[in-house]
Amino acid sequence: MEWMIYGANGYTGRLMVEEALRRGLRPVLAGRSRDAIEPMAAQYGLPARVFGLDKPAAVEMGLRGIDLVLHCAGPFSKTALPMVRACLAVGAHYLDITGEIDVFVDCHGLDAEAQQRGIVVLPGAGFDVVPTDCLAAILKLELPTAESLVLAFDAPGGPSPGTAKTAVEGLGKGGRARINGAMTNVPLAWKTRSFDKNGEARLAMTIPWFLRSFWSGEGSANAGGLPVWPVKGLLPIGFALLTLQGVSEFIKRLAVLRGTAEVELSYERPLQ
């Protein structure tokens, strides 16, 4: 089977490549940056493909001969659908590592087409979603009459840069909760709860992706997930990233005004 890691040069993509090699697998490395992908592929002795996701025909061309794509290039709110549609067009199975609830909804909306084509579309194939879904499914089998579920997990490692950026982008959307089977908009950190870990109290808050992914498997009508980790730490990280971006843009514009740099103005059509 010929398979691809798209976004192989990113933080998580590199981890995927290293693990694949450790298991004796040889994926095709792909992404948007030729300067990043080709040297990396040469380093590991793996094939490389370079293409963006803004032109459907180019994406389909980039996936020619590929049987499965592991998509690691975020933000998935912008990159998932173009890749999923290309996978459906060429007949490649699709996996990604997102935790964004809107991506789950979008992928679920393509379920009928995927089934018709015999293609697996599996967003959220990373740590956050798979273990929690599996545990929830086991609990439902063991406790079939249960009507609600609160599941907490500890993630002490902290977020990657991409995860932090995604979290900041989602701050304005608030949270969502599955209440009596219906998806409902709720404030951020809608519920908090203290859990004991080795005699130490840990604060947890609700997050929305679990609510969608588990519901797609016909679970509890009141499922909820809480990560046990310093979630408030995302706020300073996120604002620091935004501040750095603002400083960068200010420096660019100052250089243009001084005549020491040129700026290229172009319009990029939004991904559909």
Side-chain angles (χ1 to χ4, degrees), residues 44-87:
Y44 292 116
L46 296 172
R49 299 189 187 185
V50 178
F51 59 94
L53 300 177
D54 54 333
K55 298 179 180 179
V59 184
E60 293 175 21
M61 180 67 71
L63 297 183
R64 182 168 294 180
I66 297 295
D67 301 301
L68 180 147
V69 174
L70 175 55
H71 184 35
C72 301
F76 293 96
S77 58
K78 295 181 175 63
T79 67
L81 270 182
M83 181 62 83
V84 173
R85 288 183 174 132
C87 285

Side-chain angles (χ1 to χ4, degrees), residues 53-171:
L53 300 177
D54 54 333
K55 298 179 180 179
V59 184
E60 293 175 21
M61 180 67 71
L63 297 183
R64 182 168 294 180
I66 297 295
D67 301 301
L68 180 147
V69 174
L70 175 55
H71 184 35
C72 301
F76 293 96
S77 58
K78 295 181 175 63
T79 67
L81 270 182
M83 181 62 83
V84 173
R85 288 183 174 132
C87 285
L88 291 174
V90 304
H93 301 295
Y94 173 88
L95 308 175
D96 73 28
I97 55 170
T98 188
E100 299 174 51
I101 190 168
D102 291 330
V103 176
F104 290 115
V105 174
D106 290 340
C107 288
H108 195 260
L110 297 171
D111 179 62
E113 182 179 354
Q115 289 196 44
Q116 182 180 10
R117 296 176 178 267
I119 299 301
V120 172
V121 175
L122 179 62
F127 163 76
D128 299 60
V129 181
V130 173
T132 49
D133 272 9
C134 291
L135 180 56
I138 292 172
L139 290 173
K140 183 62 177 177
L141 290 174
E142 296 292 330
L143 304 168
T145 61
E147 296 181 354
S148 63
L149 170 65
V150 176
L151 175 63
F153 65 87
D154 191 8
S160 69
T163 299
K165 182 177 180 181
T166 297
V168 172
E169 290 176 349
L171 288 176

